[in-house]
Amino acid sequence: MGHSVVLDAPFVAYLSDPDYLLTATARAGWPETRIQVIQVTASAAVVKQRLVDRGLDRDRVKLDDWDSYWRRFGALECRWQSGQHHFVVNDDAQALRAVEKLITATGHITTPDEPGSDQPA
């Protein structure tokens, strides 16, 4: 049996590359796997308030020119073509429960030779 891996990062530089996940797994030498992408987004108002609440110096430049920042980063689209994609809007406390449900639902990935396999590994 394999190991579950969770990667948490903005991946801004790679979002426009449709083959990013396949290229990255091949470069790492990982075996073929069933890929699950959980894309978490939030509204401009929520992101801005979270940055204000966080109060970090690194966020000051974003907040000082919020409209430009959000036009650039708020409009980014994930163009990855591989894997099964799930979308969660993280504007309230319900989002964490939605992500937990997705992780639980996709927690066991079967391989082609395991009973119940529904996709190629």
Side-chain angles (χ1 to χ4, degrees):
M1 188 179 302
H3 299 280
S4 296
V5 176
V6 174
L7 300 176
D8 176 22
F11 294 109
V12 171
Y14 311 106
L15 289 175
S16 64
D17 179 359
D19 297 320
Y20 170 71
L21 294 174
L22 295 177
T23 304
T25 56
R27 189 173 40 245
W30 293 347
E32 289 187 36
T33 188
R34 188 169 136 200
I35 296 172
Q36 301 285 327
V37 175
I38 301 174
Q39 186 175 343
V40 180
T41 62
S43 68
V46 168
V47 171
K48 186 175 184 179
Q49 188 59 53
R50 288 177 181 166
L51 293 177
V52 168
D53 293 347
R54 187 162 70 176
L56 297 178
D57 287 337
R58 70 179 189 192
D59 296 330
R60 180 59 26 218
V61 69
K62 299 170 193 170
L63 292 167
D64 287 347
D65 193 6
W66 178 253
D67 291 336
S68 293
Y69 172 80
W70 191 252
R71 258 193 315 276
R72 180 175 179 200
F73 291 101
L76 290 174
E77 292 181 36
C78 180
R79 299 183 189 265
W80 299 341
Q81 292 182 356
S82 53
Q84 182 178 4
H85 292 247
H86 309 276
F87 300 91
V88 176
V89 177
N90 186 11
D91 279 351
D92 58 35
Q94 297 298 319
L96 180 57
R97 286 188 274 292
V99 170
E100 288 171 343
K101 284 181 183 178
L102 282 170
I103 291 170
T104 301
T106 61
H108 178 69
I109 311 272
T110 58
T111 60
D113 55 342
E114 283 185 281
S117 175
D118 60 349
Q119 289 188 13

